[in-house]
Amino acid sequence: MIRLLFSLLFLICCPAVMSAGGWCRQWISADSVGDSQLWFLRTLILPSQPVEARLEAISGGRVCIYVNGYNATTDILAPYKQGDKVLKSIGCDILPYITDDTCRIAVWYSPFLREIKSKHLSLTVWCRYPDGQRQSYVSDSNWSWVMAPAETNGNDECFNSLAMYDKWNIDELPAPMLLPVRVSSGSYYEPSEPYTPQYIRHIYSCKKISATPTSLTYLSPSPFCGWVRVTLRGMKRGATLSVNGFDYICNGDIDEQACRRFTISPVATDHIEIRCSSGITADNVMSVEAIDID
C-alpha cells in the first residue's frame, strides 16, 4: 500500500518525467556484457539539503542500491524471486543518507531477466526542499557504468576480490574506468509490480566432517537453500575457492569472507564443500555459515 501511494504521489508531483507522448520512463543499460555484474553510478548536486527524498527503481536484474555509501535497499535478492518473469519495482526512503547537497548513487546490478537486455535500470530520485520546491532526477546520459569484479551465470556466481575497488560506492571512480550508458525510453506503464521481499530465515554454524589437501567438507545442522558464508584467514593471494557453485578469488588479506550476493543455491542441502586446487586446511577457515533464505 505504501509503495502504491508513493507511486501515485510520484505521478502527480513529478512533471520532469512527462514527455509529449505522455508519461515516460527512461532506461539506462551497458554494452553487451554477457554474464558480468555491473556498477551504475551518478552524483547529483542538489539545490540544497532536501526535507524529503525517495528513490524508485525498476530493473531487469537484481540490484543493491547505495546512497552516499549506505545500502538503501537492505532487502536481499531484490527485487526478484526465482521464477519471476515480470519487471519489478523497488522504492525506498533515502533522506537519512543525504546530509548536504550531494547525493551519490551507486547501483550494483546482476543479470536476472536476460531476455530484457535494454532495460538494465530505470531509476528516479524524487526530492522536496525546504522552500517547497519539488524536483525529480531520472536515469539519463549523466550516468556511467563499469564492470563489477563479479559474474552471474544461472544459479552460479563468482567474485574476484583482487579486482575489487573498495570505495567504488562512495568516491568517484577514476575517469578512465567509467563508460557512457545507453539511454532508451519506454511507456511508464510497462508491466511492473512491487516485489515481495525475501528474508534470511536462519543462520546455521557448520561443522567440518572431512578433509583432503585440496578440499574441506562441512555439515549444516539442517538442510538450507541460500548462501554459504566462509570466513577465511591466511589464504594465498589469487587462490580460487569453489563453494557449492560460488567461485571466489582470494585477495590475500589476513581475513576475508567469501559469500554469494545475488544468487542462491538451487536445491536444499546440508553439505558444503570448499575446494581449492592450490590447497586449503582447516586453519584457513575461521567459520562456515549456512544462510537459509525464504
Side-chain angles (χ1 to χ4, degrees):
M1 179 60 72
I2 293 175
R3 290 193 182 97
L4 177 60
L5 290 174
F6 170 68
S7 297
L8 292 174
L9 181 65
F10 182 85
L11 289 172
I12 293 170
C13 298
C14 297
V17 297
M18 289 186 65
S19 68
W23 293 101
C24 184
R25 174 170 294 281
Q26 289 199 156
W27 297 87
I28 55 174
S29 58
D31 296 330
S32 179
V33 290
D35 298 331
S36 295
Q37 296 176 15
L38 308 173
W39 291 337
F40 289 101
L41 302 123
R42 170 80 196 276
T43 297
L44 299 174
I45 304 301
L46 310 175
S48 62
Q49 184 175 344
V51 295
E52 188 175 355
R54 288 193 60 87
L55 178 150
E56 189 258 358
I58 294 179
S59 176
R62 284 176 173 157
V63 295
C64 186
I65 303 174
Y66 298 88
V67 176
N68 289 333
Y70 293 94
N71 185 349
T73 49
T74 54
D75 294 331
I76 62 173
L77 300 173
Y80 289 101
K81 279 189 173 181
Q82 200 65 36
D84 287 344
K85 296 297 182 183
V86 179
L87 284 171
K88 300 285 186 176
S89 64
I90 182 171
C92 50
D93 178 16
I94 62 172
L95 185 64
Y97 315 121
I98 303 176
T99 58
D100 51 26
D101 62 354
T102 301
C103 180
R104 293 187 178 91
I105 306 171
V107 181
W108 195 326
Y109 163 97
S110 170
F112 193 89
L113 298 181
R114 295 172 186 273
E115 61 271 24
I116 306 180
K117 296 180 180 179
S118 63
K119 293 181 172 58
H120 287 164
L121 179 67
S122 179
L123 185 148
T124 303
V125 173
W126 174 83
C127 295
R128 181 170 64 87
Y129 298 99
D131 62 0
Q133 177 188 1
R134 300 175 187 269
Q135 195 165 8
S136 65
Y137 307 85
V138 301
S139 42
D140 56 20
S141 59
N142 292 305
W143 284 73
S144 301
W145 73 275
V146 66
M147 284 190 185
E151 293 184 355
T152 304
N153 185 0
N155 292 310
D156 295 336
E157 192 171 351
C158 66
F159 177 71
N160 180 4
S161 62
L162 282 176
M164 182 62 180
Y165 192 91
D166 289 337
K167 296 183 178 180
W168 73 275
N169 60 344
I170 302 174
D171 299 334
E172 294 284 353
L173 290 174
M177 294 178 62
L178 299 175
L179 299 169
V181 296
R182 290 181 296 172
V183 180
S184 59
S185 298
S187 168
Y188 184 86
Y189 294 107
E190 288 178 285
S192 65
E193 299 176 354
Y195 75 104
T196 302
Q198 297 180 76
Y199 300 98
I200 294 175
R201 183 164 49 186
H202 199 91
I203 300 178
Y204 301 101
S205 294
C206 304
K207 293 183 179 181
K208 180 173 65 71
I209 59 173
S210 65
T212 74
T214 58
S215 69
L216 299 167
T217 303
Y218 286 76
L219 185 67
S220 168
S222 180
F224 71 100
C225 187
W227 296 337
V228 177
R229 182 165 58 201
V230 182
T231 302
L232 302 161
R233 176 166 293 176
M235 292 297 297
K236 294 180 181 178
R237 182 176 175 83
T240 299
L241 268 65
S242 178
V243 186
N244 286 26
F246 171 64
D247 292 335
Y248 176 83
I249 300 177
C250 300
N251 57 37
D253 289 347
I254 294 176
D255 292 323
E256 52 189 308
Q257 276 191 335
C259 186
R260 296 173 184 258
R261 181 182 293 268
F262 293 110
T263 62
I264 61 175
S265 52
V267 294
T269 182
D270 58 1
H271 275 68
I272 298 164
E273 189 167 15
I274 305 171
R275 292 182 173 273
C276 180
S277 59
S278 59
I280 187 169
T281 71
D283 290 339
N284 295 126
V285 179
M286 298 298 98
S287 68
V288 176
E289 298 165 294
I291 303 174
D292 193 27
I293 296 173
D294 185 12

